[in-house]
Amino acid sequence: MTEPSVIEVRDATRAFGSGPDARRAVDRASFEVRSGEVVLVVGPSGSGKSTLLAMLGGLDRGYTGSVRVFDHDLAALDDRALSRLRGERIGFVFQAFHLLPELTVLENVTAPNLFAARPSAPDTIDARARVALARVGLAERADARPGELSGGQRQRVAIARALIREPALLLCDEPTGNLDRATGEQIIDLFGELHRELGTTLVIVTHEERLERIADRSFLMTDGVLGSGSGSS
Ligand code: ADP
Ligand code: MG
Protein backbone atom coordinates (compact mmCIF):
# COMPACT_ATOMS: atom_id res chain seq x y z
CA MET A 1 0.00 0.00 0.00
CA THR A 2 1.24 3.47 -0.79
CA GLU A 3 1.19 5.76 2.20
CA PRO A 4 0.37 9.44 1.74
CA SER A 5 3.24 11.88 1.39
CA VAL A 6 4.24 13.78 4.47
CA ILE A 7 6.91 15.79 2.66
CA GLU A 8 7.17 16.71 -1.01
CA VAL A 9 10.17 18.73 -2.09
CA ARG A 10 10.42 19.87 -5.71
CA ASP A 11 13.47 21.55 -7.14
CA ALA A 12 14.21 23.35 -3.87
CA THR A 13 17.31 25.52 -3.84
CA ARG A 14 18.64 27.63 -0.99
CA ALA A 15 21.43 30.03 -1.88
CA PHE A 16 23.42 32.20 0.49
CA GLY A 17 25.31 35.29 -0.61
CA SER A 18 24.93 37.04 -3.93
CA GLY A 19 26.85 37.73 -7.10
CA PRO A 20 30.07 35.77 -7.54
CA ASP A 21 29.96 34.76 -3.85
CA ALA A 22 26.57 33.09 -4.16
CA ARG A 23 26.64 29.52 -3.00
CA ARG A 24 23.92 26.93 -3.08
CA ALA A 25 23.70 25.30 0.31
CA VAL A 26 20.88 23.14 -1.08
CA ASP A 27 20.93 22.64 -4.81
CA ARG A 28 17.72 21.59 -6.60
CA ALA A 29 16.59 18.98 -4.12
CA SER A 30 13.58 16.85 -5.05
CA PHE A 31 12.27 14.00 -2.94
CA GLU A 32 9.28 12.71 -1.07
CA VAL A 33 8.84 11.23 2.37
CA ARG A 34 5.83 9.02 2.96
CA SER A 35 3.92 8.60 6.17
CA GLY A 36 5.68 6.25 8.58
CA GLU A 37 9.03 6.28 6.79
CA VAL A 38 12.41 6.75 8.41
CA VAL A 39 14.52 8.76 5.99
CA LEU A 40 18.13 9.61 6.57
CA VAL A 41 20.23 12.29 4.90
CA VAL A 42 23.91 11.55 5.41
CA GLY A 43 26.68 13.92 4.44
CA PRO A 44 29.83 15.59 5.67
CA SER A 45 29.93 18.88 7.54
CA GLY A 46 28.96 21.80 5.30
CA SER A 47 27.07 19.67 2.77
CA GLY A 48 23.76 21.46 3.44
CA LYS A 49 21.99 19.06 5.81
CA SER A 50 20.97 21.61 8.44
CA THR A 51 19.83 24.03 5.76
CA LEU A 52 17.66 21.32 4.21
CA LEU A 53 16.17 20.32 7.57
CA ALA A 54 15.39 23.97 8.40
CA MET A 55 13.55 24.22 5.09
CA LEU A 56 11.49 21.10 5.86
CA GLY A 57 10.53 22.51 9.26
CA GLY A 58 9.56 25.93 7.92
CA LEU A 59 12.41 27.52 9.89
CA ASP A 60 14.01 28.80 6.67
CA ARG A 61 11.76 29.94 3.86
CA GLY A 62 14.37 31.74 1.77
CA TYR A 63 14.42 29.00 -0.85
CA THR A 64 13.17 28.73 -4.41
CA GLY A 65 11.19 25.73 -5.60
CA SER A 66 8.56 24.07 -3.48
CA VAL A 67 8.43 22.42 -0.06
CA ARG A 68 5.11 20.84 0.91
CA VAL A 69 4.60 19.37 4.36
CA PHE A 70 1.30 17.66 5.23
CA ASP A 71 0.05 19.05 1.94
CA HIS A 72 0.78 22.66 2.90
CA ASP A 73 3.02 24.73 0.67
CA LEU A 74 5.25 26.18 3.41
CA ALA A 75 6.11 29.29 1.41
CA ALA A 76 2.40 30.15 1.16
CA LEU A 77 1.56 29.87 4.87
CA ASP A 78 1.41 32.99 7.01
CA ASP A 79 3.51 32.99 10.17
CA ARG A 80 0.59 32.04 12.36
CA ALA A 81 -0.43 29.06 10.25
CA LEU A 82 3.19 27.99 10.00
CA SER A 83 3.78 28.10 13.74
CA ARG A 84 0.57 26.18 14.28
CA LEU A 85 1.68 23.50 11.84
CA ARG A 86 5.07 23.32 13.53
CA GLY A 87 3.68 23.30 17.05
CA GLU A 88 1.05 20.66 16.43
CA ARG A 89 2.44 18.30 13.84
CA ILE A 90 6.21 18.61 13.76
CA GLY A 91 8.75 17.86 16.49
CA PHE A 92 12.38 18.96 16.37
CA VAL A 93 15.45 17.34 17.92
CA PHE A 94 18.84 19.03 17.60
CA GLN A 95 22.43 18.15 18.34
CA ALA A 96 22.57 20.60 21.24
CA PHE A 97 19.78 19.69 23.60
CA HIS A 98 18.57 23.28 24.21
CA LEU A 99 17.22 22.57 27.68
CA LEU A 100 16.59 25.37 30.14
CA PRO A 101 18.92 24.66 33.09
CA GLU A 102 16.81 26.40 35.73
CA LEU A 103 13.71 24.34 34.93
CA THR A 104 13.04 20.77 35.99
CA VAL A 105 12.91 17.96 33.45
CA LEU A 106 9.10 17.99 33.57
CA GLU A 107 9.01 21.76 33.10
CA ASN A 108 11.40 21.53 30.16
CA VAL A 109 9.16 18.97 28.48
CA THR A 110 6.03 21.07 29.02
CA ALA A 111 7.67 24.42 28.12
CA PRO A 112 6.54 24.43 24.45
CA ASN A 113 2.95 24.52 25.70
CA LEU A 114 3.59 28.05 27.00
CA PHE A 115 4.07 29.24 23.43
CA ALA A 116 1.48 27.01 21.77
CA ALA A 117 -1.15 28.59 19.53
CA ARG A 118 -3.72 26.45 21.34
CA PRO A 119 -2.22 25.58 24.72
CA SER A 120 -3.45 22.54 26.62
CA ALA A 121 -4.61 22.73 30.24
CA PRO A 122 -1.73 22.34 32.74
CA ASP A 123 -3.02 19.00 34.07
CA THR A 124 -3.34 17.59 30.57
CA ILE A 125 0.07 18.74 29.52
CA ASP A 126 1.72 17.44 32.71
CA ALA A 127 0.11 14.05 32.16
CA ARG A 128 1.33 14.00 28.56
CA ALA A 129 4.80 15.02 29.62
CA ARG A 130 4.92 12.11 32.04
CA VAL A 131 3.87 9.73 29.28
CA ALA A 132 6.58 11.16 27.03
CA LEU A 133 9.19 10.87 29.79
CA ALA A 134 8.19 7.27 30.42
CA ARG A 135 8.59 6.58 26.71
CA VAL A 136 12.17 7.79 26.76
CA GLY A 137 12.92 5.94 30.02
CA LEU A 138 13.05 8.98 32.29
CA ALA A 139 9.83 8.67 34.29
CA GLU A 140 11.83 8.76 37.53
CA ARG A 141 13.72 11.92 36.70
CA ALA A 142 10.82 14.34 36.20
CA ASP A 143 11.95 16.56 39.07
CA ALA A 144 15.66 16.59 38.28
CA ARG A 145 17.40 19.57 36.67
CA PRO A 146 19.26 19.13 33.38
CA GLY A 147 22.58 19.70 35.18
CA GLU A 148 22.05 16.47 37.13
CA LEU A 149 21.65 14.38 33.98
CA SER A 150 24.10 12.72 31.59
CA GLY A 151 24.30 13.82 27.94
CA GLY A 152 22.23 10.86 26.81
CA GLN A 153 19.58 11.61 29.42
CA ARG A 154 19.48 15.25 28.32
CA GLN A 155 18.89 14.22 24.75
CA ARG A 156 16.09 11.93 25.98
CA VAL A 157 14.49 14.94 27.68
CA ALA A 158 14.75 16.88 24.41
CA ILE A 159 13.14 13.96 22.59
CA ALA A 160 10.33 13.78 25.17
CA ARG A 161 9.78 17.51 24.68
CA ALA A 162 9.57 16.98 20.92
CA LEU A 163 7.04 14.17 21.45
CA ILE A 164 4.70 15.96 23.80
CA ARG A 165 2.06 16.58 21.17
CA GLU A 166 2.78 13.24 19.51
CA PRO A 167 3.82 14.91 16.25
CA ALA A 168 3.38 12.88 13.10
CA LEU A 169 6.75 14.13 11.86
CA LEU A 170 9.99 14.32 13.80
CA LEU A 171 12.88 16.28 12.25
CA CYS A 172 16.27 15.54 13.77
CA ASP A 173 19.55 17.36 13.12
CA GLU A 174 22.63 15.39 14.23
CA PRO A 175 20.74 13.91 17.19
CA THR A 176 23.75 11.84 18.25
CA GLY A 177 26.33 14.51 17.50
CA ASN A 178 27.03 15.44 21.11
CA LEU A 179 27.02 11.91 22.50
CA ASP A 180 29.66 9.28 22.96
CA ARG A 181 29.38 6.21 20.80
CA ALA A 182 27.54 3.91 23.23
CA THR A 183 25.10 6.61 24.30
CA GLY A 184 24.51 7.46 20.65
CA GLU A 185 23.60 3.82 20.01
CA GLN A 186 20.96 3.98 22.75
CA ILE A 187 19.46 7.11 21.23
CA ILE A 188 19.38 5.44 17.79
CA ASP A 189 17.58 2.47 19.36
CA LEU A 190 15.14 4.88 20.99
CA PHE A 191 14.30 6.44 17.61
CA GLY A 192 13.73 2.96 16.22
CA GLU A 193 11.36 2.17 19.11
CA LEU A 194 9.45 5.43 18.77
CA HIS A 195 9.00 4.75 15.11
CA ARG A 196 7.71 1.23 15.74
CA GLU A 197 5.41 2.19 18.60
CA LEU A 198 4.06 5.55 17.41
CA GLY A 199 4.47 5.26 13.65
CA THR A 200 6.19 8.64 13.67
CA THR A 201 7.69 9.70 10.35
CA LEU A 202 11.35 10.47 10.96
CA VAL A 203 13.73 12.57 8.92
CA ILE A 204 17.22 12.54 10.36
CA VAL A 205 20.18 14.46 8.97
CA THR A 206 23.58 13.35 10.20
CA HIS A 207 27.20 12.78 9.27
CA GLU A 208 27.02 9.40 11.03
CA GLU A 209 26.37 6.54 8.64
CA ARG A 210 25.57 4.19 11.48
CA LEU A 211 22.08 5.70 11.73
CA GLU A 212 21.33 3.86 8.50
CA ARG A 213 20.43 0.81 10.54
CA ILE A 214 17.04 2.29 11.45
CA ALA A 215 16.39 3.97 8.09
CA ASP A 216 14.03 2.80 5.35
CA ARG A 217 15.90 4.98 2.88
CA SER A 218 18.93 7.16 2.95
CA PHE A 219 20.23 9.94 0.75
CA LEU A 220 23.80 11.01 0.46
CA MET A 221 24.27 14.77 0.46
CA THR A 222 27.34 16.26 -1.19
CA ASP A 223 27.86 20.01 -1.65
CA GLY A 224 24.15 20.71 -1.46
CA VAL A 225 23.19 17.95 -3.88
CA LEU A 226 21.08 15.03 -2.71
CA GLY A 227 22.41 11.81 -4.16
CA SER A 228 20.36 8.82 -5.10
CA GLY A 229 18.82 7.06 -2.17
CA SER A 230 19.38 3.56 -0.94
CA GLY A 231 17.10 1.33 1.11
CA SER A 232 14.05 -0.83 1.04
CA SER A 233 11.23 1.37 -0.21
P1 ADP B 1 25.70 20.87 7.35
O1 ADP B 1 24.53 20.92 8.26
O2 ADP B 1 25.67 19.72 6.39
O3 ADP B 1 27.00 20.94 8.08
P2 ADP B 1 24.84 23.52 6.57
O4 ADP B 1 23.47 23.37 6.03
O5 ADP B 1 24.95 24.05 7.96
O6 ADP B 1 25.65 22.17 6.40
O7 ADP B 1 25.64 24.51 5.63
C1 ADP B 1 25.76 24.30 4.22
C2 ADP B 1 26.49 25.46 3.59
O8 ADP B 1 25.70 26.65 3.67
C3 ADP B 1 27.81 25.79 4.28
O9 ADP B 1 28.73 26.20 3.30
C4 ADP B 1 27.44 26.94 5.18
O10 ADP B 1 28.56 27.77 5.41
C5 ADP B 1 26.38 27.66 4.38
N1 ADP B 1 25.43 28.36 5.23
C6 ADP B 1 24.54 27.77 6.08
N2 ADP B 1 23.80 28.69 6.70
C7 ADP B 1 24.23 29.90 6.24
C8 ADP B 1 23.85 31.26 6.49
N3 ADP B 1 22.88 31.55 7.36
N4 ADP B 1 24.53 32.23 5.83
C9 ADP B 1 25.51 31.94 4.95
N5 ADP B 1 25.91 30.68 4.65
C10 ADP B 1 25.29 29.68 5.29
MG1 MG C 1 24.49 20.78 10.32
Side-chain angles (χ1 to χ4, degrees):
M1 195 183 84
T2 307
E3 299 292 335
S5 289
V6 171
I7 295 174
E8 274 183 49
V9 178
R10 290 285 166 259
D11 214 21
T13 293
R14 176 59 161 117
F16 291 109
S18 57
D21 296 329
R23 193 181 177 288
R24 289 178 166 183
V26 173
D27 193 356
R28 288 166 296 175
S30 293
F31 64 99
E32 253 172 82
V33 177
R34 297 197 173 276
S35 182
E37 273 193 300
V38 180
V39 170
L40 202 65
V41 176
V42 183
S45 175
S47 57
K49 306 181 300 293
S50 294
T51 304
L52 178 67
L53 200 79
M55 288 158 62
L56 300 181
L59 303 170
D60 179 344
R61 293 198 286 170
Y63 57 84
T64 59
S66 132
V67 178
R68 297 182 72 84
V69 179
F70 297 115
D71 234 10
H72 294 282
D73 177 355
L74 295 189
L77 293 182
D78 63 29
D79 289 348
R80 195 187 156 92
L82 183 65
S83 56
R84 180 171 290 185
L85 180 70
R86 269 204 303 260
E88 295 178 0
R89 303 185 75 179
I90 306 175
F92 293 89
V93 176
F94 297 101
Q95 172 171 3
F97 319 124
H98 299 302
L99 302 179
L100 297 165
E102 63 279 14
L103 300 185
T104 66
V105 163
L106 186 75
E107 289 164 345
N108 266 284
V109 175
T110 60
N113 192 53
L114 300 172
F115 311 102
R118 290 183 282 205
S120 305
D123 285 359
T124 310
I125 206 76
D126 275 11
R128 284 198 195 169
R130 289 183 190 281
V131 169
L133 283 170
R135 241 184 238 298
V136 301
L138 284 180
E140 313 299 316
R141 305 309 308 271
D143 300 322
R145 311 262 164 193
E148 302 168 64
L149 304 180
S150 68
Q153 289 174 325
R154 287 181 209 182
Q155 189 60 304
R156 285 169 191 273
V157 175
I159 293 169
R161 179 182 56 195
L163 291 175
I164 185 135
R165 285 170 180 265
E166 305 216 334
L169 173 63
L170 201 56
L171 299 176
C172 311
D173 191 345
E174 303 278 8
T176 54
N178 271 356
L179 304 174
D180 64 57
R181 191 163 182 88
T183 309
E185 286 298 313
Q186 293 167 5
I187 294 295
I188 298 168
D189 287 340
L190 175 60
F191 282 122
E193 261 167 50
L194 293 173
H195 173 252
R196 280 194 302 278
E197 289 169 13
L198 302 175
T200 312
T201 306
L202 286 172
V203 178
I204 304 175
V205 305
T206 179
H207 67 279
E208 296 195 69
E209 286 173 13
R210 63 183 168 136
L211 275 94
E212 283 181 354
R213 69 177 168 82
I214 59 162
D216 296 309
R217 283 191 294 142
S218 51
F219 294 100
L220 191 65
M221 197 160 193
T222 314
D223 290 338
V225 177
L226 269 187
S228 58
S230 64
S232 55
S233 33

